[in-house]
Amino acid sequence: MLRYLTAGESHGPALTAIVEGFPSGIVIDAEFINRELERRQGGYGRGKRQTLETDRIIVESGTYHGVTTGGPITIRLINNDAKLERLQEPASPRGGHIDLAGSINYQTGIRQVLERASARETALRVAVGALARVLLREVGIEVFGYVRELGGIEAPPLSFEIEVRDASPVYTLNPEVDPRIVAAIDAAKGAGDTLGGIVEAVVTGCPIGLGSHAQWDRKLDARLALAVMSIQAIKAVELGLGIEAARRPGSKVMDPIVHKATDPDDRRFGFRRPTNNAGGIEGGTSNGEPIVVRAAKKPISTLASRGPSVNMVTKEPQLAAYERSDVCAVPAASVIVENVVAFEIAAAVVEKYVGTSLSAIKTAMAAMHELNRNHLKNEYRTDKSS
Ligand SMILES: Cc1cc2nc3c(=O)[nH]c(=O)nc-3n(C[C@H](O)[C@H](O)[C@H](O)COP(=O)(O)O)c2cc1C
C-alpha cells in the first residue's frame, strides 16, 4: 500500500513527509521534483511568502545512492520563514479558515490550528506527488495540470502543450485570455479582494483496470475525489463532465464504444471512446481513456480589506485578523491537484501490480496485459457468441 503522512507548521522549522510503500529501484529525480515545487511557488498573484522560500527537497531515508530501496522515504523541506514561536495569537478569527472551529475542537489558541491548516503543507503534497510521477513515467503514465478558469474568466485550452502552460503567468493553455486574467487579479488586489478558479488534471497512459467496482472504498474516482477535496480551499471535485452530466440527457453523456484492430501492446486492446464524458473512469475503474479531474478552488478568505469578525476576548465586533496573504493561488492549485492526482494513480498502480520494486511492477503489468488479451480471446470466441 502506497501512502504518505505530512507533518509541520507553516512557520515551523521544516515540513516533513514520510512516504510508505514506495517501490525500490527508482532513481529519485530531484531536479524534476524541485521544478514542480518551484511551479507551486509561482503564478501571478502570490504573496510575499513565496519570495522568502526556496523549496528544495532533502531526502533523508529510503534511498541508497539516489535509488529508492522500498523503505519509507522521508522528504524534508526547510522553512526559511521559520518564526512560529515569535508569532502572536490573532485577536479575531478569520471566516473561511480553521481559526474558530479548530480552536474549539482542539482547545488551543487560533495560532496552533491555523499554522497546521495552512496551505504551506501543499509543498509536501507536490513533493510526494512529483516523486510518484517519477514512478508513473517509468510505466508510461503522464499527468498534466493547468488552469481552466480564474476569477470567472474562462480559459478553454487552445492546445495541450506544456510550453504554452509554462509560458503563461497564470498556467492556462490559452494565451489569448491571460492578459484579462492578470488584469482581474490586479483589480482584485487593488480592491483588497481575492480570486478563485477551476483547475484540471489529465492523466494519460493508464491501463484499463486501476481501481475496482467491487467495494466503495476501492473505487478510483472516490479515492481521487478524497485526495483532491482534501487540498486546502478546494470546494468541488468533478470527473469528466462532472456536474454538467446532470443537466444532459443520457444519450449526451454516455460514451459510445468502438473497436479498431491495433497492435498487441495497445493498453486499450483496440477499444476506443470517441467522447470521454466519463473522464476515464467507469464503475470506479480506469477504462483506458484519459482520466480528467477538475477542481474548484475558492478565493482566499484572508482579505486585505478584512472581513467582519469578533474579538475572542470581548466578543465585540472586530475586523478579522489579516496576515500577509496571496491574492490568487489558482495557478499553484493546478500544480497541487496535478501532483495529488498523480500520487493516487501511483497508489492504484502499486496496489494492482503488487509493486515492491519497479521491475516487479513492470513484470506484473506485462503479465496482466497478456492475461487480459487471452481473456478477451477465450471469453468472447465467435463460437460462444449468441
Ligand atoms: C496554494 C494555496 C495557497 C493558499 N494561500 C493562502 C493564503 O495566502 N492565505 C489564506 O488565507 N489562504 C490561503 N489558502 C487557502 C487556505 O489554506 C484554506 O482556505 C484554509 O486552510 C481553510 O481550508 P478550507 O478552505 O479547505 O476550508 C491557500 C490555498 C492554496 C491551495
Side-chain angles (χ1 to χ4, degrees):
M1 183 186 177
L2 177 60
R3 63 201 163 120
Y4 68 95
L5 287 176
T6 70
E9 279 73 38
S10 180
H11 297 94
L15 297 159
T16 307
I18 296 185
V19 184
E20 148 73 12
F22 199 81
S24 68
I26 291 156
V27 181
I28 297 220
D29 186 346
E31 199 184 316
F32 169 70
I33 298 169
N34 287 334
R35 207 163 50 237
E36 288 301 285
L37 287 170
E38 206 175 311
R39 289 208 307 121
R40 190 204 73 95
Q41 289 197 265
Y44 197 75
R46 300 305 300 275
K48 185 162 176 260
R49 178 80 190 264
Q50 303 314 319
T51 61
L52 303 176
E53 302 297 343
T54 319
D55 291 337
R56 297 278 177 275
I57 53 159
I58 302 166
V59 179
E60 292 182 332
S61 74
T63 60
Y64 186 67
H65 294 296
V67 182
T68 59
T69 62
I73 298 172
T74 308
I75 293 178
R76 193 177 295 272
L77 295 170
I78 302 297
N79 282 329
N80 293 337
D81 196 22
K83 56 182 180 191
L84 182 57
E85 305 296 335
R86 298 196 305 277
L87 287 169
Q88 288 185 346
E89 172 71 354
S92 49
R94 299 161 303 165
H97 277 275
I98 188 62
D99 302 12
L100 181 59
S103 155
I104 294 170
N105 196 19
Y106 280 78
Q107 298 90 46
T108 63
I110 294 170
R111 174 63 58 195
Q112 291 91 319
V113 289
L114 83 79
E115 282 286 327
R116 177 62 190 150
S118 158
R120 176 86 186 115
E121 188 248 5
T122 60
L124 286 173
R125 308 255 207 132
V126 169
V128 300
L131 174 71
R133 283 169 76 184
V134 182
L135 158 63
L136 291 180
R137 274 196 322 225
E138 290 281 351
V139 296
I141 299 173
E142 296 284 343
V143 189
F144 183 84
Y146 68 101
V147 171
R148 260 198 96 89
E149 188 178 318
L150 205 158
I153 302 170
E154 287 183 27
L158 299 180
S159 66
F160 271 85
E161 288 161 57
I162 200 162
E163 295 77 19
V164 173
R165 180 199 66 190
D166 291 350
S168 164
V170 282
Y171 302 0
T172 74
L173 293 169
N174 189 328
E176 289 171 15
V177 299
D178 281 356
R180 273 177 59 215
I181 291 178
V182 167
I185 295 172
D186 286 339
K189 187 175 183 183
D193 218 329
T194 59
L195 294 180
I198 296 175
V199 303
E200 188 170 283
V202 181
V203 188
T204 49
C206 274
I208 294 176
L210 297 182
S212 171
H213 66 285
Q215 197 58 262
W216 66 272
D217 60 351
R218 293 169 60 198
K219 295 186 181 207
L220 187 60
D221 46 357
R223 289 187 174 184
L224 286 167
L226 169 64
V228 174
M229 190 59 118
S230 75
I231 299 168
Q232 288 83 340
I234 297 297
K235 294 297 144 196
V237 185
E238 294 185 325
L239 190 79
L241 269 188
I243 297 264
E244 171 61 19
R247 302 192 183 107
R248 296 190 185 182
S251 57
K252 297 279 186 294
V253 175
M254 185 275 293
D255 298 309
I257 300 173
V258 296
H259 188 267
K260 274 191 206 149
T262 48
D263 66 274
D265 291 337
D266 178 28
R267 287 192 169 176
R268 293 179 284 181
F269 308 102
F271 295 105
R272 295 282 186 276
R273 311 301 177 101
T275 56
N276 185 22
N277 294 330
I281 299 178
E282 290 167 306
T285 306
S286 63
N287 66 10
E289 298 299 321
I291 292 175
V292 183
V293 181
R294 214 169 302 109
K297 183 185 175 297
K298 76 177 187 187
I300 280 159
S301 302
T302 306
L303 304 174
S305 56
R306 303 176 67 184
S309 183
V310 295
N311 181 287
M312 284 301 278
V313 177
T314 65
K315 313 295 183 294
E316 293 297 321
Q318 178 174 337
L319 291 178
Y322 177 75
E323 290 183 4
R324 189 186 56 204
S325 199
D326 296 323
V327 173
C328 174
V330 177
S334 74
V335 183
I336 300 159
V337 169
E338 173 176 343
N339 286 291
V340 161
V341 163
F343 192 91
E344 288 312 307
I345 299 293
V349 166
V350 169
E351 186 176 318
K352 181 169 178 81
Y353 303 108
V354 197
T356 49
S357 70
L358 178 59
S359 44
I361 292 177
K362 285 183 172 173
T363 307
M365 270 181 110
M368 186 72 80
H369 184 76
E370 275 316 295
L371 187 74
N372 281 328
R373 258 168 47 84
N374 287 331
H375 164 73
L376 286 168
K377 231 185 279 164
N378 298 332
E379 182 77 15
Y380 302 105
R381 294 195 312 264
T382 28
D383 59 352
K384 279 177 87 179
S385 64
S386 50

